[in-house]
Amino acid sequence: MATMASVGPVDDARADEHETPGGGPGVRLGPVTDPVPAVEPGTGLGRDAVVDRADAAGPDAPGGAPDELPVVLESFPGFTLAVRRQPPLREGLPPAVLVHGLGGSSLNWVPLMRLLADAVHAEALDLPGFGHSPPPDDGDYSNDALARTVIRRLESSGRGPVHLFGNSLGGAVSVRVAALRPDLVRTLTLVSPALPELPPQHTALPTALVSVPGVPALFARATRGWTPERRVRLTVRTCYGDPSRVSEQALAAAAEEYRSWSALPYSWDAMTRALRGIVVTYTTGGARSLWRQAERVNVPVLLVYGVRDKLVAYRMARRACAAFSDARLLVLPDSGHVAMLEHPEAVSRGFRELLRTRQNKPSSGRS
């Protein structure tokens, strides 16, 4: 399994924007108030969901290559975090923190951070054991431990409540953070969040098998002759809705990153332990269930699902909309598991509309 960190947006920009009720192009968002919304034919989703039919991710936003964004290491008792910062276009913008998925890094958020540079002051984290962050001292990659890591970082930043983003594993972590510490979160944007899905869709089973003791060693032996390029292409086929649209340059950059990542002595241990943490969250019931914790989230939530997602079934959007008390749904028919890389413009529009609807509500004491 290769990291997705360097695989950026596709290199051909074509977007097919739909019309808003007022006649202009854009994204229509609204609360999903019916826990079992009426189903639109052919989608399995409710009529209140937004379907953004962007055909491709847009071009790279200005600001240079992803590795030009500054990265700093921040040390805490028991762990060190690498933080990648997008310089804001003006002072005084509200803070945003973005949390990547399994096998990813802060680079996964660069296209979206650039597009939102006029709206938020964004920082993307490398979770412990991924990207530039070393493993945690205690080797704990559980969802609880990762949530504590994010909470401690939010507390230490002193920047007030943040707009919190999470993809996949990072989405599950972000849900727990928002449930446990609502004082630290303004809004929650979840891209294909790894919320418990039992049974999982069959295309996710090979990834889940890596969590079984002994399987990583068997996989390593079976794929010993695979080149980094082959591994990256496999990951792209798994995570992208249309792998053919990823540029050769992006694939080459991802392969080079995989070479560096796989040389780290802790890389596969971090991957397998974090994946086991996801499996544990899928089987945890009671008050600590992620679904129960989602019900406790009291901030506005944007849910982003890709119809072509092979790891998180988009049918789970209906249950997610029912779980969160103030949810908006953005459906991307051509996207897979990493919509912020495939369709960053669509995700950016959805987040901006979330901000607009939030600002139009009566004040709750936060800005």
Side-chain angles (χ1 to χ4, degrees):
M1 185 183 301
T3 175
M4 290 299 301
S6 285
V7 182
V10 298
D11 57 355
D12 182 12
R14 292 198 308 274
D16 216 357
E17 292 185 318
H18 55 267
E19 295 293 312
T20 61
V27 174
R28 291 171 288 157
L29 286 175
V32 181
T33 56
D34 184 355
V36 186
V39 175
E40 288 283 29
T43 68
L45 294 168
R47 296 189 185 96
D48 289 332
V50 178
V51 178
D52 192 313
R53 299 188 179 277
D55 288 334
D60 287 344
D67 58 3
E68 292 178 6
L69 293 184
V71 177
V72 297
L73 291 176
E74 299 180 358
S75 295
F76 302 84
F79 65 92
T80 297
L81 283 184
V83 181
R84 188 178 303 271
R85 295 192 171 106
Q86 169 66 54
L89 292 185
R90 64 179 186 275
E91 295 296 324
L93 292 178
V97 171
L98 304 94
V99 187
H100 64 81
L102 181 72
S105 77
S106 57
L107 284 174
N108 294 153
W109 294 105
V110 167
L112 183 61
M113 288 197 297
R114 287 178 176 160
L115 290 172
L116 293 176
D118 65 331
V120 295
H121 186 175
E123 298 179 322
L125 311 180
D126 285 342
L127 291 173
F130 297 95
H132 292 284
S133 295
D137 291 352
D138 60 4
D140 189 349
Y141 292 92
S142 67
N143 188 272
D144 286 337
L146 296 177
R148 288 194 298 270
T149 295
V150 174
I151 287 172
R152 190 173 302 178
R153 203 275 167 175
L154 295 180
E155 289 176 332
S156 71
S157 71
R159 299 175 65 205
V162 304
H163 297 290
L164 187 59
F165 293 68
N167 169 234
S168 192
L169 165 65
V173 170
S174 297
V175 169
R176 201 173 295 277
V177 171
L180 296 176
R181 292 296 303 274
D183 58 307
L184 297 176
V185 180
R186 298 172 188 242
T187 66
L188 188 60
T189 298
L190 304 174
V191 181
S192 296
L195 294 169
E197 175 187 352
L198 294 174
Q201 57 180 341
H202 71 278
T203 49
L205 291 177
T207 299
L209 283 174
V210 177
S211 67
V212 177
V215 170
L218 291 174
F219 181 78
R221 286 197 294 270
T223 62
R224 185 176 293 114
W226 287 18
T227 65
E229 289 75 13
R230 180 178 179 181
R231 296 176 189 273
V232 165
R233 289 183 183 277
L234 174 62
T235 303
V236 168
R237 288 200 301 271
T238 301
C239 293
Y240 276 66
D242 184 0
S244 68
R245 304 184 72 95
V246 180
S247 71
E248 290 298 322
Q249 182 181 6
L251 289 170
E256 185 57 37
E257 183 177 343
Y258 177 80
R259 287 188 181 90
S260 301
W261 173 82
S262 61
L264 297 172
Y266 56 80
S267 56
W268 276 102
D269 184 62
M271 177 74 77
T272 55
R273 287 175 182 263
L275 183 53
R276 287 169 188 162
I278 295 176
V279 172
V280 169
T281 65
Y282 271 45
T283 57
T284 299
R288 295 184 64 252
S289 161
L290 269 182
W291 287 116
R292 291 284 295 275
Q293 296 205 328
E295 295 171 356
R296 294 171 53 186
V297 173
N298 61 5
V299 299
V301 178
L302 173 63
L303 296 162
V304 183
Y305 282 84
V307 174
R308 298 184 181 181
D309 195 332
K310 298 181 181 68
L311 297 175
V312 172
Y314 82 100
R315 68 174 183 271
M316 298 304 295
R318 297 180 68 186
R319 183 172 181 182
C321 288
F324 293 101
S325 62
D326 186 6
R328 289 149 182 83
L329 176 61
L330 175 61
V331 180
L332 299 175
D334 300 319
S335 190
H337 192 60
V338 286
M340 70 285 188
L341 285 171
E342 290 189 89
H343 301 112
E345 283 94 347
V347 179
S348 172
R349 290 195 300 268
F351 175 71
R352 291 174 188 275
E353 185 63 23
L354 179 71
L355 291 184
R356 283 193 290 270
T357 57
R358 177 178 178 270
Q359 291 167 356
N360 290 335
K361 284 187 173 183
S363 173
S364 62
R366 291 185 193 165
S367 61

